Amino acid sequence: MNRYILLIVYLMVIVSLSGCIDELVPLETSSDIPDPSVYEFDAFLNKSQFNGSFPRTSTFYLSTNSSVKVVHIVDNESFLDIIPLEDPTKKDVDILSNIVIIGDYSANTESSLSLFQNYSREQNVSAINYTLSEKVIKGQKHIYLNFSEPIRGYVAYTMNVPRGQDFIHIAHTPSVVRMILPEGYTTGHYLIGRARPQPNMIYYDNKGRMNLVWYNMGAEKSALVKVLETIFAEEIQTPTDTVKIIGVKFYKKSAPFHLLVATVILSSFALIVIADYLKNRHKLRKLRDQIEAGEKWEK
């Protein structure tokens, strides 16, 4: 009997401890509070309006570290298909962070330039529901940012990238793409690196940063494909779609000058070595001629 009592007490202790352990483990908690202050919300919509609506405008604020701030202007879209560049050496790093949405559901708004300009001055994150999902298509990871309804406004996030000052973006939807280089950096040198394809427009903003702009990236989809994409909340590739890859290699403005100096120094060393080699070869040839002349005289 005592044995059974001890067994019951033992089981009760185990159950009690299990309950305490479950209460100590938080489930599905997140400390990532959206911070819109780190982003620049610019109503960059010139040359992008088409039939009264705006195709997606994506601005990439490049940096010299392993992160890029991305700001999308979306007009009546229900999801974003993000194709990240992964670093195989970093398995546990979140690709997207600090997701900020400023806007409203499309049913509550009408598309206009003034609407996006008003949103660009907002400081508070909008209460728009979204979910994140992943899918691998043809060996490439896709991250889907899905909204509960089509929205109109700004979607920003910070994306980890592995290539640092050699950034690549895959554009496979009709969009305007703008890349803003860090202050004091440039691109375009035929040896150090340039942007490919050639941007449609290059200009400098009020901070002195180089801006590269590409228009009409990707292919226009039919109305049926757009409806299916909205229903299934993912990108649908059709035989007529074109995938365009934008690559930008950027560097400090002083890099071409340093490259020129290094080339001059290396060329000078090369000339010195060549001159010394020719001088020594001439001495050896003269010495050989003298030795041959002496042997003939002795004979």
Side-chain angles (χ1 to χ4, degrees):
M1 181 64 69
N2 293 334
R3 183 181 302 175
Y4 291 111
I5 293 175
L6 290 174
L7 181 59
I8 293 172
V9 172
Y10 180 71
L11 291 174
M12 291 177 64
V13 170
I14 292 176
V15 172
S16 300
L17 290 175
S18 299
C20 293
I21 292 173
D22 288 339
E23 291 175 359
L24 291 174
V25 178
L27 299 177
E28 298 183 358
T29 59
S30 175
S31 60
D32 188 11
I33 300 175
D35 181 11
S37 64
V38 303
Y39 298 114
E40 298 179 39
F41 298 99
D42 180 13
F44 183 78
L45 294 167
N46 54 327
K47 296 185 180 181
S48 62
Q49 190 168 13
F50 180 75
N51 291 337
S53 62
F54 298 94
R56 183 187 307 166
T57 298
S58 303
T59 300
F60 297 83
Y61 295 86
L62 307 183
S63 67
T64 56
N65 54 31
S66 59
S67 68
V68 172
K69 291 182 174 61
V70 187
V71 179
H72 298 284
I73 299 178
V74 297
D75 190 13
N76 194 32
E77 295 195 46
S78 57
F79 69 94
L80 289 178
D81 180 4
I82 303 165
I83 303 178
L85 300 176
E86 297 183 86
D87 188 348
T89 63
K90 299 179 180 179
K91 296 293 185 180
D92 299 327
V93 175
D94 292 334
I95 298 176
L96 302 185
S97 61
N98 193 27
I99 300 174
V100 171
I101 302 175
I102 296 179
D104 201 349
Y105 295 111
S106 299
N108 303 330
T109 59
E110 291 185 3
S111 181
S112 67
L113 177 59
S114 60
L115 177 72
F116 292 103
Q117 289 175 337
N118 292 334
Y119 284 149
S120 68
R121 293 187 286 268
E122 287 283 344
Q123 298 296 323
N124 297 322
V125 179
S126 302
I128 292 179
N129 296 324
Y130 69 88
T131 59
L132 283 173
S133 60
E134 294 184 3
K135 188 175 182 180
V136 177
I137 301 176
K138 296 181 180 180
Q140 176 65 59
K141 177 185 285 188
H142 292 244
I143 299 178
Y144 292 98
L145 186 59
N146 305 293
F147 314 112
S148 57
E149 300 178 32
I151 69 169
R152 186 171 282 124
Y154 294 85
V155 180
Y157 52 81
T158 300
M159 180 170 60
N160 287 315
V161 293
R163 299 171 68 94
Q165 294 175 213
D166 190 1
F167 181 70
I168 294 178
H169 169 62
I170 302 175
H172 57 96
T173 56
S175 61
V176 175
V177 177
R178 178 176 59 156
M179 295 192 184
I180 301 179
L181 307 188
E183 294 181 47
Y185 283 76
T186 187
T187 188
H189 195 279
Y190 69 99
L191 288 179
I192 304 177
R194 62 179 69 181
R196 296 182 182 276
Q198 181 69 22
N200 299 114
M201 182 172 66
I202 299 176
Y203 70 96
Y204 290 86
D205 58 21
N206 54 8
K207 294 183 178 181
R209 299 175 301 186
M210 177 182 278
N211 287 236
L212 314 174
V213 184
W214 292 263
Y215 294 109
N216 301 321
M217 299 305 298
E220 182 65 32
K221 297 178 182 293
S222 65
L224 176 60
V225 173
K226 291 181 179 179
V227 171
L228 293 175
E229 287 181 339
T230 303
I231 294 174
F232 295 103
E234 68 178 53
E235 192 75 19
I236 297 177
Q237 298 293 328
T238 64
T240 58
D241 287 350
T242 57
V243 175
K244 296 184 179 180
I245 299 177
I246 300 176
V248 177
K249 175 72 174 179
F250 58 99
Y251 38 83
K252 288 186 176 182
K253 292 180 178 179
S254 59
F257 174 74
H258 292 160
L259 177 63
L260 177 62
V261 172
T263 302
V264 171
I265 293 175
L266 290 176
S267 300
S268 300
F269 276 118
L271 291 175
I272 292 173
V273 170
I274 292 173
D276 185 66
Y277 167 75
L278 294 176
K279 181 180 179 181
N280 290 332
R281 188 176 70 170
H282 178 71
K283 287 182 178 180
L284 290 174
R285 181 176 296 174
K286 185 177 181 180
L287 179 61
R288 186 188 64 183
D289 294 340
Q290 290 176 351
I291 293 174
E292 290 177 353
E295 289 179 351
K296 289 180 181 180
W297 183 81
E298 288 178 358
K299 290 179 180 180

